[in-house]
Amino acid sequence: MTESVLIIGAGIGGLCTALALAPTGREITLIERDAPPPGDDPDTVFHEWKHTGVGHLRQSHAFLARLRSIIKRDHPRLMQELLDLGVRELTFDAMLSDLQRDDYSPEPSDAELTIITSRRTTLELAMRRYVGSLDNVTIRSGFLVRRLITDKGEDGVLNVRGLIGDSDGEETSATADIIVDASGKNGFTIDQLKADGVDFPEEAESAGILYFTRHYRLKPGKDEPSRIDNPPPSGDLGFLKFGVFPGDNGCFSITMAVPEVEMELRKAILNPDVFHAMTLLLPGLAPWTESERSDPVGRVHGMGDLISRWRDLVVDGKPLTRHYFALGDTLIRTNPLYGRGCSFAAVSGQVLREILDETSDPDARSVAFHQRLLTELKPYYLNQRAQDRAAIKRARQALTPDYKPGLRARLMQGFFDDGVRIALRYDTRLLRDAMRGFHMLEHPNKWLGKPANLAKVLYYWARGPKRNAAAYPPKAGPERNEMIKALSLDYQADIDRIAQGA
């Protein structure tokens, strides 16, 4: 291929795009504002890399099965380099409940349901090193993009030709046949399109939650707690979601997600002592963070401004731009609860490769890219948005002492708590189907839409809590007021604030 490609951003989105396009032979240049990783040692990179363009660099990260399968299939050398750097693979059997584990019989498809997990810095280090070694890929660090080079076609469609920015203290321009905007959630180049007259539609709303992460390292000679003999290391208490992310080289991270309305907890959790105290109050986390097993590393990293966003650059079948493709967080953002952001970017890169190879017509390319993202990604976006909206309502209701849910709300909650959740902890085949949706290998709602699967869920729901008692997990943690009192916080403050209409 003789086409040239400029990719704005060398984060996960830009790197995934380069991985997708490199085998086609196109000349690819990644433009990155930040300096490269400071060396090849994962610990040095974690502690010292100033990658300011990625505000969530030290949040917990995992690559879902969809992204892992792309890497394993198309770039086996990268897969091995990730493992050599200490990146972990979590297999399907780690997701089984105690009831399922004893009679579990692996099936060939179970290997597909494997997660890659590590510190984000280690993932990006391996990917960047691999991408930079490819003959037709160049990474230009220290290049801050200021604006796009554009012109209007006679039909009013905006042509994007290149970009202008600062490199080594001097204004520099670069042009290419294809411009890919993977500048991320903090990128501003897509906003220039509106200034140039492209009034692209977008929907955006808060995910209603904030994330707080702290890293830990196992002490010499200590192993991770058994997942069999201890309570699950993840849970949802309503006012708090939490989970452990095993990392590379003896490290792991703990992420806690707090609803926006829990102001007192949001403010306090940034205190490392409070964060650590919370882990010890949660039965699933305490075995990981007890002083005999691990030491905390660094501060608590907060992540806010979690906006669900979908942008369209094609309207009524007509492209608004030519030669320009936005992807990753630049185009689509969801609550990172299920870790789909990296997979969204990787799938978008794969889609881009397909449509660039199928046609050279710029308008057809833009339309096809848009249509396939609607098919590939919109169902997961809508699924997560619906969950976010429901969670926002529940968080406010929990702070309303006199609130009583209606019959429909009670039925829906019972269906999921006493039907879906219990069926997944009993039936391994059902769990397999559900995990395929979770990992973006199938439509997220397909598994529950199958009549046989829905019948199983209804069967377990009808059995009732008493007959299903063995399938309920142990209590994930204390009630809200109990925890907040234990942390010496004012449990009443947010209740009063909600009562006053705030």
Side-chain angles (χ1 to χ4, degrees), residues 318-436:
K318 180 181 178 181
L320 303 180
T321 63
R322 292 192 183 98
H323 318 295
Y324 173 87
F325 300 90
L327 52 74
D329 284 352
T330 309
L331 190 70
I332 307 163
R333 289 175 60 191
T334 63
N335 183 341
L337 180 64
Y338 293 153
R340 287 173 175 158
C342 294
S343 294
F344 270 31
V347 170
S348 299
Q350 294 288 307
V351 168
L352 181 60
R353 171 183 172 171
E354 292 168 5
I355 65 102
L356 292 182
D357 288 349
E358 288 170 2
T359 179
S360 60
D361 180 85
D363 288 3
R365 284 174 163 181
S366 295
V367 172
F369 184 70
H370 170 75
Q371 290 296 333
R372 292 190 198 178
L373 291 190
L374 287 176
T375 300
E376 290 278 359
L377 302 182
K378 195 66 176 279
Y380 302 98
Y381 169 82
L382 294 175
N383 177 271
Q384 185 61 62
R385 190 186 67 179
Q387 292 188 50
D388 291 342
R389 289 175 174 177
I392 290 170
K393 288 182 180 179
R394 289 195 301 271
R396 291 189 69 88
Q397 291 162 358
L399 294 174
T400 306
D402 297 330
Y403 173 76
K404 292 182 179 180
L407 176 61
R408 184 176 184 276
R410 294 198 304 272
L411 285 173
M412 290 299 296
Q413 195 65 41
F415 174 72
F416 284 101
D417 289 348
D418 303 316
V420 173
R421 183 175 63 156
I422 297 307
L424 292 176
R425 290 179 63 81
Y426 265 121
D427 193 302
T428 303
R429 291 189 178 278
L430 199 62
L431 181 64
R432 284 191 182 99
D433 276 4
M435 285 297 101
R436 293 191 67 80

Side-chain angles (χ1 to χ4, degrees), residues 126-153:
M127 293 178 70
R128 184 173 175 131
R129 196 163 61 184
Y130 174 83
V131 167
S133 73
L134 302 176
D135 291 338
N136 58 323
V137 178
T138 301
I139 302 177
R140 294 183 62 180
S141 298
F143 191 131
L144 176 59
V145 176
R146 295 292 187 185
R147 64 186 185 277
L148 302 171
I149 300 173
T150 64
D151 63 73
K152 271 284 181 67

